[in-house]
Amino acid sequence: MISFPTIRAVLWDMDGTLIDTERLHYQILADLCRREGMQWSWEENKAIMGATMNQKWEYLIARHAFRQSKEQWLNTFNREYIKGLKTEFGLTPQIDAVCRMRAIGLPLGCVSNGENEVVKANLEIIGLAHCFSVVVAGGGNQRGKPFPDPYILACKHLGFHPQKCLAVEDSPLGAQAAVDAGLITVVWPDADSLPWTGPKVHHVVQRDRFPWEILQRLHGHWFSGCRRA
């Protein structure tokens, strides 16, 4: 067993970790491309999942001759994304893990490349908006994942050194950001992403069970369950 320091806070990724909106993401981008007389493939969608909206826009401009402005495209995407959200997109084992952590008073943050309004809408639809004291979202010109900046900023807001914080991610892009920021990193991928071939992390979830043993020393608590609010 690896010897871990006492974890003071846990930072969760959003898309693919707490909510599965990959199909919604694909449908919206495919519709937007179709309106411009272009095609959008599932392979292209996979290639940019987890990227910031700026990074997605740059990909679209490089591959497709969009006539809409970036602002128009972004506003349309966000509006249609939020309209298409459903409660059932939430990933139950991960959501339950967040609830259990909150029940014992563990500080929690959400770190996402998604736009702020989209991240807030995601948290609302899956019933976790009340759980996170810090939310770091994409938007603007700041560097997003795979750069470590979002995690470093979240740790600063929470008031803990990155080495005292744990990140939960699902993608190589996000895991790289957390590792480079110095956080203890747990990857919770979907079954199609196993075996894990991304960056070296501290733990990879195999069967929808969070590795609670990493947190056992926190206040000597044994993590009794809790219900979603």
Side-chain angles (χ1 to χ4, degrees), residues 53-193:
M53 294 305 287
N54 279 335
Q55 291 165 340
K56 292 173 183 177
W57 174 253
E58 290 169 0
Y59 181 96
L60 287 166
I61 289 298
R63 301 292 185 95
H64 302 276
F66 265 82
R67 292 185 293 272
Q68 282 190 352
S69 69
K70 177 182 174 181
E71 183 178 5
Q72 288 176 314
W73 172 82
L74 181 59
N75 288 339
T76 302
F77 182 95
N78 288 348
R79 182 177 64 252
E80 296 190 9
Y81 178 95
I82 292 171
K83 182 179 178 181
L85 282 175
K86 298 179 181 179
T87 304
E88 54 263 35
F89 291 165
L91 298 171
T92 299
Q94 290 89 323
I95 292 172
D96 288 346
V98 170
C99 286
R100 295 176 71 185
M101 291 176 185
R102 181 176 183 271
I104 65 163
L106 186 62
L108 300 174
C110 180
V111 179
S112 173
N113 272 349
E115 298 285 302
N116 190 57
E117 64 177 311
V118 166
V119 173
K120 288 183 176 180
N122 284 336
L123 290 173
E124 289 286 349
I125 202 72
I126 61 177
L128 294 183
H130 64 293
C131 290
F132 296 98
S133 56
V134 167
V135 175
V136 173
N141 296 314
Q142 66 265 33
R143 298 196 309 179
K145 306 172 192 178
F147 294 102
D149 306 33
Y151 275 109
I152 293 172
L153 179 61
C155 291
K156 181 178 180 180
H157 286 329
L158 286 167
F160 298 112
H161 192 279
Q163 292 181 354
K164 295 286 188 178
C165 297
L166 183 145
V168 185
E169 279 281 354
D170 74 299
S171 70
L173 181 148
Q176 191 65 63
V179 169
D180 288 348
L183 283 76
I184 295 169
T185 305
V186 169
V187 169
W188 198 333
D190 60 34
D192 292 339
S193 299

